[in-house]
Amino acid sequence: MQTRNSYPSDVSDEEWAFVAPYLTLMKEDAPQRDYALRDVFNALRDVFNALRWLVRTGSPWRYLPNDLPPWYTVYPQAMRWHEAGRFADLVTDLRHLLRKAAGRHEEPTAAIIDGRTLQSTPESGSRAGYDGYKRKKGSKIHLAVDTLGYLLAATVTPANEQERSQVGALSEAIQKATGQSVERLYADQGYTGDQPREAAEKPGIALEIVSLPEAKKGFVLLPKRWVVERSFAWTARFRRLARDYERLDETVKALHFIAYSILMLAQVDKLLNSS
């Protein structure tokens, strides 16, 4: 069986020092803790490394290498972290650091949204829908990113759901993640209409549609909109996100936050090493 030693996906000591406090769900003096905190940190690090390996390589849960914890340990722990909002908190704080390093305010005032259809697999089951525009059956991941391309919020629906139907949920999640700082939301022509505009206005966001030029010829790079397309391209580096391999949409969402944490940790580490 393949081992993780063949893949440079393990979290570094510096990265783990940053991540560990987010993934520790109990205090050292908690009555239900049976092990020393350092031993727990080492075990959690192995679980986090397993998640990084899985999302990078596209491995099935049950095919994790022998030198990583078994899937029945990794998957439940990953879902506990996700339900506690730990991956979202990690991505939020990494975004703050990267925005400050870029000379921006910690919280954005603008965001960009779009959806991407993931091809279904047998695991998708009955929740997969058919996207007539893309001619593809599967699930659709709807992302909201800031103007630097860093993840703010995500929702998952069957592929036959319209992008405009997720504006309300994404807008609420954006404001929750940023502390009500976002004032403007950029989207493509698929979000045109009164319903998405009104849905964005409820949490105090103005929806602005970025349209194609009337005399379009060939590929056209749209202002603002290209940022979210680049963010989707970043996820193409992770084989587990190439298709919808999950039975639950919450797992799809969790793996996207894990993928962005990997990308953003590497960027923070690069900044620290270059300074």
Side-chain angles (χ1 to χ4, degrees):
M1 180 176 284
Q2 189 63 266
T3 66
R4 60 176 168 166
N5 293 331
S6 303
Y7 296 87
S9 60
D10 283 6
V11 63
S12 68
D13 291 340
E14 294 79 9
E15 290 173 335
W16 181 243
F18 185 92
V19 172
Y22 295 88
L23 303 185
T24 306
L25 298 179
M26 292 189 297
K27 298 180 180 179
E28 186 172 16
D29 58 353
Q32 60 268 51
R33 185 180 294 287
D34 297 324
Y35 305 98
L37 190 59
R38 186 168 66 177
D39 294 337
V40 173
F41 273 5
N42 290 335
L44 294 180
R45 182 171 180 169
D46 287 342
V47 172
F48 188 57
N49 279 331
L51 289 172
R52 289 166 62 95
W53 191 90
L54 181 142
V55 74
R56 278 284 194 190
T57 64
S59 166
W61 289 99
R62 287 169 173 78
Y63 285 8
L64 287 172
N66 285 332
D67 56 350
L68 287 171
W71 75 270
Y72 50 80
T73 297
V74 176
Y75 180 79
Q77 184 61 53
M79 291 302 100
R80 283 193 288 269
W81 282 333
H82 175 61
E83 291 168 6
R86 297 308 173 91
F87 295 130
D89 291 343
L90 174 59
V91 167
T92 295
D93 288 348
L94 288 169
R95 187 179 71 249
H96 290 167
L97 289 173
L98 291 168
R99 286 182 61 85
K100 288 181 70 175
R104 306 291 186 91
H105 192 276
E106 281 190 355
E107 299 294 2
T109 58
I112 309 101
I113 58 173
D114 200 6
R116 173 191 176 215
T117 298
L118 303 176
Q119 179 69 49
S120 66
T121 64
E123 282 72 24
S124 305
S126 59
R127 70 180 177 83
Y130 183 73
D131 184 343
Y133 181 74
K134 299 289 180 63
R135 297 182 181 180
K136 185 184 296 184
K137 183 179 180 182
S139 297
K140 190 173 289 184
I141 178 75
H142 307 263
L143 295 188
V145 301
D146 67 4
T147 52
L148 295 180
Y150 301 129
L151 184 60
L152 297 174
T155 62
V156 180
T157 66
N160 58 308
E161 288 282 342
Q162 295 294 321
E163 280 90 347
R164 61 172 60 93
S165 68
Q166 295 302 303
V167 171
L170 282 174
S171 298
E172 294 285 353
I174 288 169
Q175 295 294 49
K176 181 179 179 181
T178 62
Q180 305 288 321
S181 70
V182 172
E183 302 170 356
R184 191 166 299 276
L185 189 62
Y186 296 101
D188 65 19
Q189 290 172 301
Y191 294 86
T192 302
D194 292 336
Q195 187 272 333
R197 176 178 54 79
E198 293 170 359
E201 287 176 351
K202 285 184 179 179
I205 302 176
L207 178 62
E208 183 173 319
I209 305 301
V210 181
S211 302
L212 286 168
E214 292 184 6
K216 172 189 169 185
K217 184 178 180 181
F219 176 74
V220 177
L221 193 64
L222 297 180
K224 307 293 184 183
R225 280 277 300 110
W226 68 269
V227 174
V228 70
E229 297 296 345
R230 183 185 62 181
S231 296
F232 279 125
W234 288 344
T235 64
R237 300 176 181 177
F238 300 90
R239 293 184 178 181
R240 188 72 185 191
L241 307 183
R243 287 174 175 252
D244 179 13
Y245 291 112
E246 312 307 326
R247 295 186 184 276
L248 302 176
D249 50 9
E250 280 300 311
T251 309
V252 178
K253 181 178 176 180
L255 292 180
H256 275 78
F257 273 93
I258 293 168
Y260 274 92
S261 74
I262 296 172
L263 289 169
M264 296 164 76
L265 274 170
Q267 291 187 32
V268 170
D269 191 50
K270 183 177 179 180
L271 286 172
L272 294 175
N273 288 332
S274 63
S275 60

